[in-house]
Amino acid sequence: MTTIFEILVPCVTPGVASGLKVNMILGFMMLMFAETIGSKYGLGHWINVNHLYMNYAGLIAGFIEIGVLVLAINKIIEVIQKRAIAWL
């Protein structure tokens, strides 16, 4: 049991942490895509409505908001990684 916690867990942790970051961002993008197609609420729907009514200022603002949210998620995960994994 000590072999698992002293050798295996420290070896696997950086890969799991980087995979977590990529999958969280991909999950957020899939959420936006799903909201664009099949929802009546949310940021994806708001972007779709602005596109349909040719409100390009609202469309660009929606894209910027998605970018800011993805960057915020990325930074939060990086802070958690740096605190949880000392050697990263």
Side-chain angles (χ1 to χ4, degrees), residues 35-54:
E35 283 181 355
T36 302
I37 291 176
S39 177
K40 294 182 181 178
Y41 304 102
L43 187 57
H45 176 71
W46 186 69
I47 289 172
N48 194 25
V49 167
N50 283 317
H51 177 257
L52 290 175
Y53 290 119
M54 292 184 212

Side-chain angles (χ1 to χ4, degrees), residues 17 20-21 24 72-81:
L20 174 71
K21 185 174 11 177
M24 289 291 287
I73 290 171
N74 193 14
K75 287 296 177 187
I76 289 169
I77 292 173
E78 282 180 6
V79 167
I80 292 170
Q81 281 179 353

Side-chain angles (χ1 to χ4, degrees), residues 53-88:
Y53 290 119
M54 292 184 212
N55 181 7
Y56 296 118
L59 185 68
I60 292 171
F63 288 145
I64 290 171
E65 188 174 349
I66 287 175
V68 168
L69 286 172
V70 168
L71 282 174
I73 290 171
N74 193 14
K75 287 296 177 187
I76 289 169
I77 292 173
E78 282 180 6
V79 167
I80 292 170
Q81 281 179 353
K82 290 193 188 236
R83 288 189 180 197
I85 306 168
W87 61 91
L88 283 182

